[in-house]
Amino acid sequence: MTRIDDINVNANMSKEKKSFIDRLKIIGPGAIITASFIGPGTVTTATRAGASFGFALLWAVLFSIIATIVLQEMTARLGIITRKGLGDAVREQFTNPILKYGSMWLVMIAISVGCAAYMAGDLLGTSLGITTLTGIPSNILGPIVGVIILFLGLSGSYKLIERVMITLIVVMSFTFITTMIIAKPDLGELFKGAFIPSMPSGSIIMVIALIGTTVVPYNFFMHSTMVQERWNKPSDLKEARWDTIISISIGGFITAAILITAGAMIQGMEVSSAADLSVQLQPILGDWAKVFMSLGLFAAGFSSALASPLGAAITVSSVLKWENGMKDKRFKTVFITIMAIGIISSGLGFNPLDVLLFAQALNGILLPVIAILLLIFMNNKKRLGQYTNSLKANILGGVVALICTGLGLYSLIDAIKAFMGA
């Protein structure tokens, strides 16, 4: 373990200011986090939000990006300074047995349930694209795709395929941004939606879903582990911070572009299929819009479907201190279990877009618990020394946790009222 007191390399660092291009070159773990949350859930949720409420929920996208940057910066700092993951912090934070094991099991169960929901949504999102092109039902294709991903994930031979899929996502994202520009959205309404929060009737689940599709708790555990492979000393914190800010901001811009495009092109339209999702791309792609959207959903789902079981396995293994990674049979067991739940769920005939929305909403409800625990960990001076949260970081993190908690409670009360009135 690196001793903070023994490291003093800041004085030797170059004082030259780095250009924006130089900062782009340091992008690493943050880009993986962005690729993880830009999945079919993001595409469908942002499209439905724009189609149903225009630009009114754009503020939720802006908030989710700020929240993601704030929280992911904390997890990156934790990993670099302590040389341990977030799971280790969960296990070591409390000495009281009730708090210790209660927090451990709460985190493991919450993350695993969230990952299982994501898994089902990603498989259905992946199959949704193929279904549109072939006509084969998604509840048949979903399990087939799941089994393929399971074997690729366990063998480790998915690397090349994943790179191809991420390339397709980049191309799809470029297309959305171009279409957004062509759509010429009303700038007044756009800025109003971005900076004046509002919650139209029936939008609470959509707001939570927009946040849940971006601020993904299992990404905290993955990020705190991955940064250790790239950076290993306090002087690297600045690079890690820029990696997080640039990568997450790009992902947020993509999400915003999808919502804005839908709000400008198909507001008022009910979105229930990949063909409906593709309508917004017709101005630039014409008859190829449906094919492109189908391939894009397949790419987004395929790459994201690898992250969900991996995120659950990393979380459980780090909390329980399994140190051999994918070589550990217990790690593989968690990976396979999450995959199996996703495969079975995807074959039960649920509406793919509804499952995706449910997964994001569930994630948004679980988020406050992880955010509050993270704030506790980041104020542990014994663990982080001088690199604990500053007052500014605590205020930002506290506001994020408070808003997420409020939205989660609002959602639960709304659901109880609906149940009582049913």
Side-chain angles (χ1 to χ4, degrees):
M1 178 177 176
T2 303
R3 292 178 179 272
I4 297 172
D5 295 336
D6 292 338
I7 298 176
N8 186 18
V9 296
N10 289 327
N12 298 323
M13 292 183 64
S14 171
K15 300 293 184 181
E16 295 179 6
K17 290 185 177 180
K18 291 185 176 181
S19 67
F20 183 70
I21 298 300
D22 290 329
R23 285 170 178 162
L24 285 179
K25 292 178 181 178
I26 67 172
I27 289 178
I32 298 174
I33 299 303
T34 299
S36 173
F37 73 72
I38 297 293
T42 297
V43 177
T44 55
T45 302
T47 299
R48 277 186 156 184
S52 300
F53 305 104
F55 307 142
L57 301 185
L58 195 56
W59 65 269
V61 176
L62 182 61
F63 167 77
S64 69
I65 292 306
I66 294 172
T68 304
I69 290 173
V70 169
L71 298 177
Q72 293 288 172
E73 187 279 332
M74 291 183 193
T75 61
R77 179 159 31 103
L78 179 74
I80 293 171
I81 296 301
T82 67
R83 309 301 298 154
K84 291 183 178 181
L86 184 56
D88 295 284
V90 174
R91 186 182 65 254
E92 298 172 1
Q93 176 67 36
F94 303 108
T95 55
N96 181 291
I98 296 177
L99 289 176
K100 180 182 179 71
Y101 293 105
S103 60
M104 286 171 61
W105 282 103
L106 176 64
V107 166
M108 288 191 293
I109 292 172
I111 295 295
S112 297
V113 169
C115 286
Y118 257 96
M119 190 71 249
D122 285 337
L123 289 181
L124 285 170
T126 304
S127 62
L128 188 63
I130 309 175
T131 296
T132 303
L133 295 177
T134 64
I136 301 173
S138 58
N139 64 313
I140 293 176
L141 287 172
I144 294 174
V145 172
V147 171
I148 293 172
I149 292 175
L150 173 62
F151 282 106
L152 287 173
L154 290 176
S155 67
S157 61
Y158 62 84
K159 290 293 184 182
L160 177 60
I161 295 175
E162 187 178 27
R163 289 193 191 101
V164 173
M165 297 304 165
I166 290 176
T167 301
L168 287 174
I169 295 171
V170 170
V171 174
M172 183 180 70
S173 303
F174 176 77
T175 304
F176 269 113
I177 293 170
T178 305
T179 309
M180 176 188 69
I181 296 171
I182 292 174
K184 296 181 179 179
D186 185 310
L187 294 181
E189 289 296 313
L190 191 154
F191 282 106
K192 180 182 177 182
F195 299 106
I196 303 178
S198 64
M199 207 168 291
S201 177
S203 66
I204 179 62
I205 294 298
M206 193 66 72
V207 169
I208 295 175
L210 282 170
I211 295 171
T213 194
T214 309
V215 197
V216 186
Y218 71 73
N219 278 344
F220 301 158
F221 292 84
M222 291 177 61
H223 201 186
S224 65
T225 299
M226 290 186 298
V227 291
Q228 297 177 48
E229 298 180 11
R230 179 73 176 269
W231 297 293
N232 55 29
K233 53 187 180 295
S235 59
D236 293 329
L237 287 175
K238 189 173 182 180
E239 281 197 359
R241 190 172 293 117
W242 274 111
D243 170 45
T244 299
I245 292 172
I246 294 173
S247 299
I248 303 302
S249 296
I250 290 172
F253 187 60
I254 293 169
T255 304
I258 295 171
L259 187 151
I260 293 168
T261 301
M265 303 296 297
I266 59 174
Q267 185 175 353
M269 175 179 171
E270 184 178 348
V271 178
S272 58
S273 68
D276 295 336
L277 290 170
S278 68
V279 171
Q280 60 193 310
L281 296 179
Q282 287 180 355
I284 189 172
L285 294 176
D287 294 337
W288 285 94
K290 186 167 72 172
V291 174
F292 193 86
M293 176 59 76
S294 298
L295 291 174
L297 281 173
F298 177 78
F302 201 100
S303 59
S304 294
L306 289 166
S308 296
L310 186 62
I314 287 175
T315 300
V316 174
S317 63
S318 61
V319 170
L320 296 179
K321 207 174 182 179
W322 301 340
E323 297 180 349
N324 293 322
M326 202 64 177
K327 297 177 182 179
D328 194 307
K329 291 181 179 179
R330 296 167 296 184
F331 187 105
K332 289 183 178 180
T333 299
V334 175
F335 186 94
I336 293 170
T337 300
I338 298 299
M339 283 294 311
I341 293 173
I343 290 170
I344 294 170
S345 299
S346 66
L348 294 179
F350 297 117
N351 183 317
L353 299 189
D354 287 341
V355 172
L356 286 165
L357 186 62
F358 169 76
Q360 318 310 326
L362 175 63
N363 193 54
I365 293 171
L366 295 174
L367 175 61
V369 177
I370 307 300
I372 291 170
L373 283 174
L374 181 58
L375 280 173
I376 293 172
F377 303 152
M378 296 307 297
N379 283 281
N380 187 332
K381 286 189 175 292
K382 186 176 180 180
R383 174 179 294 273
L384 288 162
Q386 62 180 309
Y387 297 99
T388 54
N389 273 359
S390 64
L391 177 61
K392 180 181 176 181
N394 277 329
I395 291 174
L396 287 172
V399 169
V400 168
L402 189 63
I403 293 175
C404 290
T405 301
L407 288 171
L409 289 174
Y410 189 106
S411 176
L412 288 175
I413 293 171
D414 196 50
I416 292 171
K417 286 182 178 178
F419 177 78
M420 297 296 289

